PDB file of all heavy atoms in Angstrom:
ATOM      1  N   GLU A 248      13.268   9.094 -43.722  1.00 82.00           N
ATOM      2  CA  GLU A 248      14.005   7.865 -43.678  1.00 82.00           C
ATOM      3  C   GLU A 248      13.808   7.117 -42.420  1.00 82.00           C
ATOM      4  O   GLU A 248      13.775   5.862 -42.351  1.00 82.00           O
ATOM      5  CB  GLU A 248      15.492   8.088 -43.909  1.00 82.00           C
ATOM      6  CG  GLU A 248      15.784   8.519 -45.333  1.00 82.00           C
ATOM      7  CD  GLU A 248      17.264   8.923 -45.504  1.00 82.00           C
ATOM      8  OE1 GLU A 248      18.003   9.013 -44.528  1.00 82.00           O
ATOM      9  OE2 GLU A 248      17.624   9.257 -46.631  1.00 82.00           O
ATOM     10  N   TYR A 510      25.586  10.710 -44.332  1.00 91.00           N
ATOM     11  CA  TYR A 510      24.098  10.640 -44.180  1.00 91.00           C
ATOM     12  C   TYR A 510      23.777  10.634 -42.695  1.00 91.00           C
ATOM     13  O   TYR A 510      24.449   9.978 -41.897  1.00 91.00           O
ATOM     14  CB  TYR A 510      23.587   9.379 -44.821  1.00 91.00           C
ATOM     15  CG  TYR A 510      23.457   9.494 -46.353  1.00 91.00           C
ATOM     16  CD1 TYR A 510      24.525   9.026 -47.135  1.00 91.00           C
ATOM     17  CD2 TYR A 510      22.374  10.062 -46.938  1.00 91.00           C
ATOM     18  CE1 TYR A 510      24.373   9.147 -48.545  1.00 91.00           C
ATOM     19  CE2 TYR A 510      22.285  10.166 -48.276  1.00 91.00           C
ATOM     20  CZ  TYR A 510      23.275   9.718 -49.119  1.00 91.00           C
ATOM     21  OH  TYR A 510      23.180   9.803 -50.499  1.00 91.00           O
ATOM     22  N   PRO A 511      22.719  11.341 -42.326  1.00 86.00           N
ATOM     23  CA  PRO A 511      22.343  11.426 -40.942  1.00 86.00           C
ATOM     24  C   PRO A 511      22.150  10.045 -40.274  1.00 86.00           C
ATOM     25  O   PRO A 511      22.444   9.866 -39.105  1.00 86.00           O
ATOM     26  CB  PRO A 511      20.986  12.191 -40.855  1.00 86.00           C
ATOM     27  CG  PRO A 511      20.969  12.985 -42.209  1.00 86.00           C
ATOM     28  CD  PRO A 511      21.795  12.163 -43.142  1.00 86.00           C
ATOM     29  N   SER A 512      21.659   9.058 -41.055  1.00 83.00           N
ATOM     30  CA  SER A 512      21.441   7.746 -40.500  1.00 83.00           C
ATOM     31  C   SER A 512      22.669   6.855 -40.606  1.00 83.00           C
ATOM     32  O   SER A 512      22.640   5.711 -40.110  1.00 83.00           O
ATOM     33  CB  SER A 512      20.220   7.088 -41.215  1.00 83.00           C
ATOM     34  OG  SER A 512      20.429   7.207 -42.565  1.00 83.00           O
ATOM     35  N   ALA A 513      23.751   7.328 -41.221  1.00 86.00           N
ATOM     36  CA  ALA A 513      24.966   6.483 -41.355  1.00 86.00           C
ATOM     37  C   ALA A 513      25.925   6.810 -40.198  1.00 86.00           C
ATOM     38  O   ALA A 513      25.793   7.876 -39.607  1.00 86.00           O
ATOM     39  CB  ALA A 513      25.639   6.768 -42.661  1.00 86.00           C
ATOM     40  N   PRO A 518      31.654   8.564 -44.131  1.00 91.00           N
ATOM     41  CA  PRO A 518      31.111   9.648 -44.985  1.00 91.00           C
ATOM     42  C   PRO A 518      30.891   9.127 -46.408  1.00 91.00           C
ATOM     43  O   PRO A 518      31.626   8.285 -46.928  1.00 91.00           O
ATOM     44  CB  PRO A 518      32.224  10.657 -44.954  1.00 91.00           C
ATOM     45  CG  PRO A 518      33.446  10.023 -44.581  1.00 91.00           C
ATOM     46  CD  PRO A 518      33.077   8.797 -43.784  1.00 91.00           C
ATOM     47  N   ALA A 519      29.770   9.592 -46.975  1.00 92.00           N
ATOM     48  CA  ALA A 519      29.516   9.196 -48.385  1.00 92.00           C
ATOM     49  C   ALA A 519      30.378  10.000 -49.363  1.00 92.00           C
ATOM     50  O   ALA A 519      30.670   9.530 -50.428  1.00 92.00           O
ATOM     51  CB  ALA A 519      28.022   9.461 -48.668  1.00 92.00           C
ATOM     52  N   LEU A 520      30.679  11.221 -48.976  1.00 93.00           N
ATOM     53  CA  LEU A 520      31.596  12.079 -49.797  1.00 93.00           C
ATOM     54  C   LEU A 520      32.707  12.624 -48.908  1.00 93.00           C
ATOM     55  O   LEU A 520      32.469  13.069 -47.828  1.00 93.00           O
ATOM     56  CB  LEU A 520      30.844  13.192 -50.447  1.00 93.00           C
ATOM     57  CG  LEU A 520      29.697  12.885 -51.393  1.00 93.00           C
ATOM     58  CD1 LEU A 520      28.957  14.119 -51.853  1.00 93.00           C
ATOM     59  CD2 LEU A 520      30.242  12.115 -52.575  1.00 93.00           C
ATOM     60  N   GLY A 537      31.415   5.889 -62.006  1.00 88.00           N
ATOM     61  CA  GLY A 537      32.183   5.214 -60.915  1.00 88.00           C
ATOM     62  C   GLY A 537      31.403   3.974 -60.450  1.00 88.00           C
ATOM     63  O   GLY A 537      30.239   3.763 -60.916  1.00 88.00           O
ATOM     64  N   PRO A 538      32.051   3.214 -59.653  1.00 87.00           N
ATOM     65  CA  PRO A 538      31.386   1.945 -59.228  1.00 87.00           C
ATOM     66  C   PRO A 538      30.194   2.281 -58.259  1.00 87.00           C
ATOM     67  O   PRO A 538      30.106   3.386 -57.737  1.00 87.00           O
ATOM     68  CB  PRO A 538      32.525   1.214 -58.440  1.00 87.00           C
ATOM     69  CG  PRO A 538      33.493   2.273 -58.066  1.00 87.00           C
ATOM     70  CD  PRO A 538      33.389   3.340 -59.073  1.00 87.00           C
ATOM     71  N   SER A 539      29.417   1.267 -58.059  1.00 86.00           N
ATOM     72  CA  SER A 539      28.258   1.391 -57.189  1.00 86.00           C
ATOM     73  C   SER A 539      28.634   1.788 -55.779  1.00 86.00           C
ATOM     74  O   SER A 539      29.661   1.309 -55.274  1.00 86.00           O
ATOM     75  CB  SER A 539      27.516   0.020 -57.110  1.00 86.00           C
ATOM     76  OG  SER A 539      26.823  -0.161 -58.278  1.00 86.00           O
ATOM     77  N   GLY A 540      27.839   2.697 -55.176  1.00 88.00           N
ATOM     78  CA  GLY A 540      28.175   3.128 -53.793  1.00 88.00           C
ATOM     79  C   GLY A 540      29.301   4.121 -53.785  1.00 88.00           C
ATOM     80  O   GLY A 540      29.706   4.459 -52.691  1.00 88.00           O
ATOM     81  N   GLY A 541      29.742   4.613 -54.923  1.00 89.00           N
ATOM     82  CA  GLY A 541      30.914   5.520 -54.968  1.00 89.00           C
ATOM     83  C   GLY A 541      30.569   6.976 -54.421  1.00 89.00           C
ATOM     84  O   GLY A 541      31.418   7.590 -53.882  1.00 89.00           O
ATOM     85  N   GLY A 542      29.302   7.352 -54.613  1.00 90.00           N
ATOM     86  CA  GLY A 542      28.916   8.658 -54.060  1.00 90.00           C
ATOM     87  C   GLY A 542      28.252   9.574 -55.176  1.00 90.00           C
ATOM     88  O   GLY A 542      28.055  10.794 -54.822  1.00 90.00           O
ATOM     89  N   LYS A 543      27.954   9.011 -56.304  1.00 90.00           N
ATOM     90  CA  LYS A 543      27.349   9.854 -57.428  1.00 90.00           C
ATOM     91  C   LYS A 543      25.993  10.394 -56.998  1.00 90.00           C
ATOM     92  O   LYS A 543      25.770  11.639 -57.147  1.00 90.00           O
ATOM     93  CB  LYS A 543      27.221   8.963 -58.729  1.00 90.00           C
ATOM     94  CG  LYS A 543      28.493   8.389 -59.120  1.00 90.00           C
ATOM     95  CD  LYS A 543      28.439   7.511 -60.343  1.00 90.00           C
ATOM     96  CE  LYS A 543      27.582   6.233 -60.146  1.00 90.00           C
ATOM     97  NZ  LYS A 543      28.220   5.225 -59.248  1.00 90.00           N
ATOM     98  N   THR A 544      25.118   9.518 -56.555  1.00 90.00           N
ATOM     99  CA  THR A 544      23.766  10.017 -56.169  1.00 90.00           C
ATOM    100  C   THR A 544      23.810  10.953 -55.029  1.00 90.00           C
ATOM    101  O   THR A 544      23.004  11.896 -54.925  1.00 90.00           O
ATOM    102  CB  THR A 544      22.848   8.775 -55.860  1.00 90.00           C
ATOM    103  OG1 THR A 544      22.909   7.914 -56.969  1.00 90.00           O
ATOM    104  CG2 THR A 544      21.475   9.211 -55.635  1.00 90.00           C
ATOM    105  N   SER A 545      24.754  10.751 -54.167  1.00 92.00           N
ATOM    106  CA  SER A 545      24.888  11.658 -53.016  1.00 92.00           C
ATOM    107  C   SER A 545      25.209  13.080 -53.467  1.00 92.00           C
ATOM    108  O   SER A 545      24.677  14.056 -52.898  1.00 92.00           O
ATOM    109  CB  SER A 545      26.009  11.202 -52.029  1.00 92.00           C
ATOM    110  OG  SER A 545      25.839   9.833 -51.715  1.00 92.00           O
ATOM    111  N   CYS A 546      25.998  13.211 -54.512  1.00 91.00           N
ATOM    112  CA  CYS A 546      26.346  14.540 -55.063  1.00 91.00           C
ATOM    113  C   CYS A 546      25.051  15.166 -55.591  1.00 91.00           C
ATOM    114  O   CYS A 546      24.773  16.358 -55.355  1.00 91.00           O
ATOM    115  CB  CYS A 546      27.281  14.412 -56.237  1.00 91.00           C
ATOM    116  SG  CYS A 546      28.963  13.929 -55.746  1.00 91.00           S
ATOM    117  N   TYR A 554      19.845  17.202 -48.642  1.00 88.00           N
ATOM    118  CA  TYR A 554      20.629  17.071 -47.409  1.00 88.00           C
ATOM    119  C   TYR A 554      21.578  18.333 -47.473  1.00 88.00           C
ATOM    120  O   TYR A 554      21.756  18.893 -48.504  1.00 88.00           O
ATOM    121  CB  TYR A 554      21.455  15.819 -47.409  1.00 88.00           C
ATOM    122  CG  TYR A 554      20.714  14.526 -47.473  1.00 88.00           C
ATOM    123  CD1 TYR A 554      20.418  13.908 -48.714  1.00 88.00           C
ATOM    124  CD2 TYR A 554      20.190  13.959 -46.326  1.00 88.00           C
ATOM    125  CE1 TYR A 554      19.736  12.712 -48.746  1.00 88.00           C
ATOM    126  CE2 TYR A 554      19.459  12.782 -46.373  1.00 88.00           C
ATOM    127  CZ  TYR A 554      19.301  12.186 -47.642  1.00 88.00           C
ATOM    128  OH  TYR A 554      18.526  10.990 -47.648  1.00 88.00           O
ATOM    129  N   ASP A 646      19.879  11.045 -63.582  1.00 79.00           N
ATOM    130  CA  ASP A 646      20.499   9.951 -62.770  1.00 79.00           C
ATOM    131  C   ASP A 646      19.968   8.694 -63.280  1.00 79.00           C
ATOM    132  O   ASP A 646      18.858   8.295 -62.959  1.00 79.00           O
ATOM    133  CB  ASP A 646      20.197  10.186 -61.325  1.00 79.00           C
ATOM    134  CG  ASP A 646      21.029   9.255 -60.413  1.00 79.00           C
ATOM    135  OD1 ASP A 646      21.597   8.320 -60.997  1.00 79.00           O
ATOM    136  OD2 ASP A 646      21.018   9.466 -59.197  1.00 79.00           O
ATOM    137  N   GLU A 647      20.747   7.852 -64.018  1.00 74.00           N
ATOM    138  CA  GLU A 647      20.352   6.633 -64.619  1.00 74.00           C
ATOM    139  C   GLU A 647      18.950   6.877 -65.365  1.00 74.00           C
ATOM    140  O   GLU A 647      18.039   6.085 -65.156  1.00 74.00           O
ATOM    141  CB  GLU A 647      20.174   5.557 -63.535  1.00 74.00           C
ATOM    142  CG  GLU A 647      21.506   4.966 -63.124  1.00 74.00           C
ATOM    143  CD  GLU A 647      22.316   4.294 -64.196  1.00 74.00           C
ATOM    144  OE1 GLU A 647      21.714   3.907 -65.232  1.00 74.00           O
ATOM    145  OE2 GLU A 647      23.521   4.171 -64.113  1.00 74.00           O
ATOM    146  N   VAL A 674      24.355  10.899 -64.621  1.00 85.00           N
ATOM    147  CA  VAL A 674      24.927   9.854 -63.772  1.00 85.00           C
ATOM    148  C   VAL A 674      24.565   8.549 -64.525  1.00 85.00           C
ATOM    149  O   VAL A 674      23.363   8.305 -64.742  1.00 85.00           O
ATOM    150  CB  VAL A 674      24.360   9.796 -62.350  1.00 85.00           C
ATOM    151  CG1 VAL A 674      24.880   8.641 -61.598  1.00 85.00           C
ATOM    152  CG2 VAL A 674      24.652  11.081 -61.689  1.00 85.00           C
ATOM    153  N   HIS A 676      25.660   4.199 -65.515  1.00 72.00           N
ATOM    154  CA  HIS A 676      26.538   3.085 -65.390  1.00 72.00           C
ATOM    155  C   HIS A 676      26.964   2.646 -66.809  1.00 72.00           C
ATOM    156  O   HIS A 676      28.030   2.066 -67.029  1.00 72.00           O
ATOM    157  CB  HIS A 676      25.908   1.919 -64.665  1.00 72.00           C
ATOM    158  CG  HIS A 676      25.938   2.097 -63.193  1.00 72.00           C
ATOM    159  ND1 HIS A 676      24.780   2.152 -62.420  1.00 72.00           N
ATOM    160  CD2 HIS A 676      26.992   2.299 -62.381  1.00 72.00           C
ATOM    161  CE1 HIS A 676      25.134   2.390 -61.204  1.00 72.00           C
ATOM    162  NE2 HIS A 676      26.426   2.454 -61.104  1.00 72.00           N
ATOM    163  N   ILE A 690      34.123   9.044 -59.750  1.00 92.00           N
ATOM    164  CA  ILE A 690      34.021   9.076 -58.241  1.00 92.00           C
ATOM    165  C   ILE A 690      34.076   7.682 -57.714  1.00 92.00           C
ATOM    166  O   ILE A 690      33.371   6.777 -58.159  1.00 92.00           O
ATOM    167  CB  ILE A 690      32.718   9.795 -57.855  1.00 92.00           C
ATOM    168  CG1 ILE A 690      32.736  11.242 -58.308  1.00 92.00           C
ATOM    169  CG2 ILE A 690      32.485   9.724 -56.340  1.00 92.00           C
ATOM    170  CD1 ILE A 690      31.544  12.046 -57.834  1.00 92.00           C
TER     171      ILE A 690
HETATM  172  N1  ATP B 813      19.865   7.380 -47.417  1.00 55.34           N
HETATM  173  C1  ATP B 813      21.053   6.871 -47.080  1.00 55.34           C
HETATM  174  N2  ATP B 813      21.368   6.662 -45.812  1.00 55.34           N
HETATM  175  C2  ATP B 813      22.566   6.188 -45.364  1.00 55.34           C
HETATM  176  N3  ATP B 813      23.504   5.894 -46.266  1.00 55.34           N
HETATM  177  C3  ATP B 813      23.259   6.012 -47.559  1.00 55.34           C
HETATM  178  C4  ATP B 813      22.040   6.515 -48.019  1.00 55.34           C
HETATM  179  N4  ATP B 813      22.045   6.597 -49.407  1.00 55.34           N
HETATM  180  C5  ATP B 813      23.276   6.080 -49.757  1.00 55.34           C
HETATM  181  N5  ATP B 813      24.013   5.854 -48.687  1.00 55.34           N
HETATM  182  C6  ATP B 813      25.381   5.283 -48.641  1.00 55.34           C
HETATM  183  O1  ATP B 813      26.208   6.334 -49.190  1.00 55.34           O
HETATM  184  C7  ATP B 813      27.217   5.797 -50.085  1.00 55.34           C
HETATM  185  C8  ATP B 813      27.094   6.487 -51.436  1.00 55.34           C
HETATM  186  O2  ATP B 813      25.906   6.091 -52.022  1.00 55.34           O
HETATM  187  P1  ATP B 813      25.402   6.680 -53.375  1.00 55.34           P
HETATM  188  O3  ATP B 813      23.968   6.325 -53.554  1.00 55.34           O
HETATM  189  O4  ATP B 813      25.777   8.101 -53.517  1.00 55.34           O
HETATM  190  O5  ATP B 813      26.290   5.864 -54.457  1.00 55.34           O
HETATM  191  P2  ATP B 813      26.150   5.791 -56.014  1.00 55.34           P
HETATM  192  O6  ATP B 813      27.499   6.062 -56.551  1.00 55.34           O
HETATM  193  O7  ATP B 813      25.124   6.651 -56.488  1.00 55.34           O
HETATM  194  O8  ATP B 813      25.792   4.288 -56.208  1.00 55.34           O
HETATM  195  P3  ATP B 813      24.904   3.640 -57.393  1.00 55.34           P
HETATM  196  O9  ATP B 813      25.694   3.836 -58.653  1.00 55.34           O
HETATM  197  O10 ATP B 813      24.715   2.227 -57.035  1.00 55.34           O
HETATM  198  O11 ATP B 813      23.631   4.366 -57.417  1.00 55.34           O
HETATM  199  C9  ATP B 813      26.955   4.283 -50.098  1.00 55.34           C
HETATM  200  O12 ATP B 813      27.899   3.665 -49.232  1.00 55.34           O
HETATM  201  C10 ATP B 813      25.539   4.083 -49.532  1.00 55.34           C
HETATM  202  O13 ATP B 813      25.423   2.937 -48.837  1.00 55.34           O
END
Side-chain angles (χ1 to χ4, degrees):
E248 286 173 357
Y510 281 96
S512 49
L520 297 176
S539 286
K543 302 178 293 292
T544 307
S545 306
C546 291
Y554 302 94
D646 189 348
E647 283 299 338
V674 176
H676 281 121
I690 296 187

